[in-house]
Amino acid sequence: MTTPTMTTLAMTDASREAFSMLRDPSNLHWYVVTFFGIVMYVYATEVERKRWDIIAAGLAFFLMDVFNELINSAWFHASGRAPLWTITGDTAYLILIGWTIEIVFLFLISGIEFVKFLPSDKSLRIFGVPNRWVFITWWSCVCVFVEVLLHRAGIFHWSWWFWDEPFLLPIVVFGYGTFFWIAATVFDMHSHRRRYAVVGAMAAVDLVLAIGLGFAGWL
């Protein structure tokens, strides 16, 4: 486990608890294997159907989450106090201070689920609003509502006034809106080459950021 670069006395209680769980293999459970199999089945189904647009959207959604989680980890180490969001409680594996193995599996398929809800007619308007923006806003709000419930349950923690109740708009926009937006954007592109150029660029950014933060001891 990487030694933190800040004094642990500056941490919030939730951050200290999460840091003690970070990448502890003794928490692993067998259901992780089952979840992995479910995720692989979802992707295998889309490969069988040759729905490369859906697969690209799912990967773009997940890679945006990876970027956010890396930034959250960096914020934790740079602030010396707490990340924007912290996870405690029962998890099979805490990969980063705000990112569990369960969330990884969930977000690997969330983008796929999202684009399946999108109307086939991109020009369709709902109450005069482009349908993509309606769905992006709706699902972002639903996800933040779930986070509010987890926060109140004491297993998901916000520690900064601008990223906490009642200031939920930044979480709606940057915590989830960007995820759904990139998934819809990639899904609606007219060529697989463009889709996977975006996915490849996102993967490259995440990889460089992860390597840099890893060498800095900020993961």
Side-chain angles (χ1 to χ4, degrees):
M1 184 181 299
T2 303
T3 302
T5 56
M6 81 296 283
T7 170
T8 55
L9 294 177
M11 293 185 196
T12 62
D13 290 341
S15 298
R16 189 176 294 108
E17 180 180 349
F19 197 81
S20 70
M21 299 162 50
L22 194 61
R23 293 185 287 277
D24 182 358
S26 67
N27 292 323
L28 283 170
H29 298 291
W30 275 108
Y31 69 75
V32 170
V33 180
T34 302
F35 283 1
F36 178 75
I38 292 171
V39 170
M40 290 300 98
Y41 177 78
V42 170
Y43 276 87
T45 300
E46 301 308 326
V47 169
E48 183 181 37
R49 298 172 61 231
K50 294 182 169 55
R51 289 303 305 266
W52 312 116
D53 51 346
I54 293 178
I55 293 172
L59 293 175
F61 185 101
F62 174 70
L63 290 169
M64 183 62 76
D65 176 51
V66 174
F67 178 81
N68 274 22
E69 295 295 348
L70 291 170
I71 294 299
N72 188 49
S73 181
W75 184 282
F76 168 52
H77 287 272
S79 70
R81 177 176 175 268
L84 295 173
W85 59 90
T86 312
I87 292 179
T88 58
D90 188 19
T91 175
Y93 197 68
L94 188 65
I95 302 170
L96 298 174
I97 198 159
W99 204 37
T100 68
I101 188 66
E102 294 88 353
I103 292 175
V104 167
F105 291 145
L106 172 63
F107 280 23
L108 273 168
I109 62 176
S110 292
I112 290 177
E113 294 168 343
F114 168 66
V115 297
K116 286 177 175 290
F117 279 105
L118 295 178
S120 57
D121 183 1
K122 293 184 289 186
S123 64
L124 176 69
R125 289 178 173 265
I126 301 175
F127 301 113
V129 180
N131 70 82
R132 275 17 184 188
W133 288 111
V134 171
F135 278 83
I136 289 169
T137 303
W138 166 254
W139 285 111
S140 297
C141 290
V142 168
C143 290
V144 173
F145 174 71
V146 172
E147 286 201 358
V148 168
L149 296 180
L150 295 172
H151 174 61
R152 295 183 180 183
I155 57 175
F156 188 87
H157 310 271
W158 294 316
S159 302
W160 301 89
W161 67 269
F162 55 86
W163 198 276
D164 196 354
E165 296 184 74
F167 301 102
L168 297 176
L169 183 59
I171 308 176
V172 172
V173 174
F174 298 107
Y176 287 99
T178 52
F179 295 22
F180 291 110
W181 170 79
I182 194 62
T185 299
V186 168
F187 178 70
D188 287 338
M189 287 177 174
H190 296 296
S191 74
H192 295 321
R193 178 175 295 183
R194 290 186 62 190
R195 290 186 180 101
Y196 282 98
V198 171
V199 170
M202 294 177 70
V205 169
D206 287 347
L207 179 61
V208 170
L209 186 58
I211 292 173
L213 292 176
F215 276 114
W218 281 24
L219 295 180

